[in-house]
Amino acid sequence: MPDLRSQDWFGGEGAKGFTHRSWVRSRGVPKDHLDGRPVIGICNTWSDLTSCNSHFRELAQHVREGILEAGGVPMEFPVISTGETLTRPTAMLLRNLASMDVEETLRANPLDGVVLMMGCDKTTPGLLMGAASVNLPTIGLSAGPMLNGSFRGRPFGIKDAWNLAADLRAGRASIDDVEEAESCLNRTVGVCNVMGTGSTMAAMVEAMGVGLPDNAAIPAVDARRRVLARMVGRRIVDMVREDLTLDKVLTREAFENAIKVNAAIGGSTNAVIHLTAIARRMEVPLVIEDWHAIGQDIPTLVNVQPSGTYLMQDFHEAGGLPAVIRQMCEGGLLNGDALTVTGKSLAENNDQAKCHNRDVIFTLDDPFKAHSGIAVLRGNLCREGAVIKPSAAEPRLLEHRGKAVVFEDQDDLNARIDHPDLEVDADSVLVLKNCGPRGFPGMPELGMIPIPAKLLAQGVRDMVRISDARMSGTAFGAVVLHVSPEAAAGGLLGVVRDGDVIELDVARRRLELLVSGEELARRFGERSAAEPKATRGYAKLYIDTVNQAHDGCDLDFLVGKTGSDVPPNQH
């Protein structure tokens, strides 16, 4: 077993380590727990403000029991919990702050390994980013999805809720319908019951080998999630003894596997930003073009909302991610030799997986959809790239030319989108500015611009929409996101005007603003500097140092890792 960091605090006899041992003994820790056993941190993002993670108090107890059973010493600690549903202006603003919280807590304390308890969207990448910069033995435990919703005798997921909200705006549903649906959608704790960002990132944890098999899809309230938690606790102790640090798992091959699995499951576009940020903390080369080069030929295999019909509970019961990974390994699409936290390869972890429902998990020979989950676009409107999820769009819109209807910011959008005099038709291209990392700030999930009410009343369900924002992984449509550079950083998006013609061609990976260079130069010359969005605190630090979307939206001074060297003793 390697030398343990924790012994720099607790080791030695007599006066050496007396203070540190004494403080820990005040909690009722027996003397023999400080005799050289691995000390394991349980990084807990429990919060009443983060409903996805609100069962973590109980789940942490099962992790604790597993650690004790394996001969380790559990030390639970809290970090900031960024809940997507309640946090304003956006949880994405706080993702990097969460990573700093994790990094500094791990490095500053007598921990030899860590279990990351993460669920709601930004807690997963935030915790992984912080852990990557320290590089201890690390294992992830995700929250699990909530059970299927049920509304008036039929399954009800987040995509259905989006459609119900659209029906309300179009006059086809009532307030009573919506209020009844409130309690029918979120029936239990856990992340969204579709392949949103929460479940997507849990799948990325499993696909990259940072979590145990079945991490992604066991429902939050299922007893098997508790068993998984106990097994995670047991396994992290052995990982410390084996010196299985995070850099041995989060390799280039692991990220390539994640990109391919994301395509196969119809995963969230947010994964592009998050995996880029994690890779750069791990000092693994990963660029936005890799999503095209690596994932372009991967079919979508999973028929789960928002790309499909079923919900996450159905996915788990059909065989879950192991069934997907097994056939991708056997089909030569994944690097099955990639090492995982089990100490075995990705292929070995999943070689016994079975599919129990081919309506939910399709085969490589007969995929659910032939095209991959995410396409990377280039063009004068997105010099550094933009993304779209073809599997979630109406196919007719993947090659489209239309006139822009421009909204300068969120307030402008909210004020005019449903105005009866808005000059818009089904062929228009909706454009939203100033919702990127700096411009909002924090890059909120506003990218699924609502269809104007008068078009909804005509039966229009999808339009081309373009922004420098993100969208929820639960959302859908012909939505171009993460336009980089953003409007607030001098991107061409900032000078788009009503009536400009925009051309989208996903097959050719092009997004072009069809305006002359002379006219664009004139518009840039007329631009005035925007007022700062923040003048103090973390928000100012974020705006001043955040990278653009194609670079992962990390703070520039956080990229890379410092490691786990023990800090100097203060006593």
Side-chain angles (χ1 to χ4, degrees), residues 21 25 48 79 206 222 246 322 325 376 419 422 499 509 551 564:
R21 290 193 300 265
R25 294 287 296 277
D48 277 337
V79 295
E206 188 172 336
D222 194 310
L246 193 54
I325 290 174
V376 176
H419 198 285
L422 183 70
R509 300 172 57 226
D551 281 332
S564 60

Side-chain angles (χ1 to χ4, degrees), residues 135-172:
N135 195 34
L136 292 172
T138 301
I139 190 169
L141 175 64
S142 297
M146 63 179 73
L147 294 181
N148 289 359
S150 180
F151 179 52
R152 295 176 178 172
R154 60 181 175 85
F156 193 65
I158 304 293
K159 182 179 180 180
D160 301 306
W162 288 118
N163 286 331
L164 180 61
D167 285 342
L168 177 66
R169 293 173 54 240
R172 291 190 291 266

Side-chain angles (χ1 to χ4, degrees), residues 62-63 66-67 114-116 118 128 138-144 199 201-218 224-239 242 244 246 249 316 319-323 325 339-351 353:
H62 293 285
V63 175
I67 292 170
V114 63
V115 175
L116 304 177
M118 47 206 181
L128 281 173
T138 301
I139 190 169
L141 175 64
S142 297
S199 285
M201 292 308 298
M204 297 298 93
V205 168
E206 188 172 336
M208 290 190 294
V210 185
L212 297 182
D214 282 320
N215 175 75
I218 299 174
R224 287 167 289 188
R225 176 69 56 182
R226 301 184 184 106
V227 173
L228 182 71
R230 186 173 295 207
M231 302 311 293
V232 163
R234 291 182 183 180
R235 180 58 197 152
I236 186 61
V237 178
D238 286 337
M239 287 176 64
E242 296 163 12
L244 183 50
L246 193 54
V249 176
H316 171 64
L321 198 63
I325 290 174
L339 181 65
T340 73
V341 292
T342 66
K344 300 178 181 179
S345 70
L346 186 69
E348 289 174 311
N349 283 349
N350 299 283
D351 62 5

